[in-house]
Amino acid sequence: MTEVMTLALDLLSWFLILVGGAFGIIGGIGLLRLPDFFSRIHAASVTESMCAPCIIAGLMLQSGLTLVTVKLAFLIVFLFLTSPTASHALAKAALHGGLHPGEEHPSARRGQSRPEGDAASEGAHG
């Protein structure tokens, strides 16, 4: 009976780790492929809210009932408290800085030709 329980915990643990890794890859692709800043914040929040907790839960199952499990549980709580706050602060700062949803970030326009005064005005703002 113990061997069956150990096998079930191992399978569940590896399933969670693989699902977390898949969400990490999806979030990374979203960070590279999504068109604007606010969409990229969404991709980053997917990584924070699905990838890390799944991987940490898988690691908690692997470690058993130890101090490591308690530390990993605190890490999940810390992530759930700080990740939405950080995403909200980034979005608020972008809105305050004049970037609106749907607009491209100026760094995305590098290869395009700009009018003469555009480069000077970007330098004045930062």
Side-chain angles (χ1 to χ4, degrees):
M1 183 70 179
T2 307
E3 293 175 10
V4 173
M5 194 71 165
T6 303
L7 180 65
L9 281 177
D10 281 345
L11 288 175
L12 182 61
S13 170
W14 281 107
F15 175 75
L16 286 172
I17 291 171
L18 289 175
V19 167
F23 276 114
I25 291 171
I26 290 168
I29 291 171
L31 279 175
L32 294 175
R33 298 289 301 167
L34 289 176
D36 65 348
F37 178 77
F38 294 97
S39 299
R40 290 178 181 164
I41 287 178
H42 170 70
S45 68
V46 165
T47 303
E48 293 168 349
S49 63
M50 293 302 294
C51 169
C54 282
I55 290 175
I56 291 172
L59 293 175
M60 288 171 67
L61 290 176
Q62 282 291 314
S63 65
L65 290 176
T66 62
L67 183 60
V68 173
T69 305
V70 175
K71 290 177 182 177
L72 290 171
F74 280 125
L75 187 59
I76 285 178
V77 170
F78 180 75
L79 281 175
F80 276 127
L81 291 177
T82 59
S83 293
T85 306
S87 296
H88 179 76
L90 278 174
K92 199 78 168 164
L95 284 173
H96 183 71
L99 189 64
H100 298 288
E103 290 182 357
E104 276 189 7
H105 191 267
S107 66
R109 290 183 252 146
R110 280 188 199 143
Q112 300 174 355
S113 62
R114 295 182 196 159
E116 288 295 320
D118 195 25
S121 65
E122 283 184 14
H125 294 289

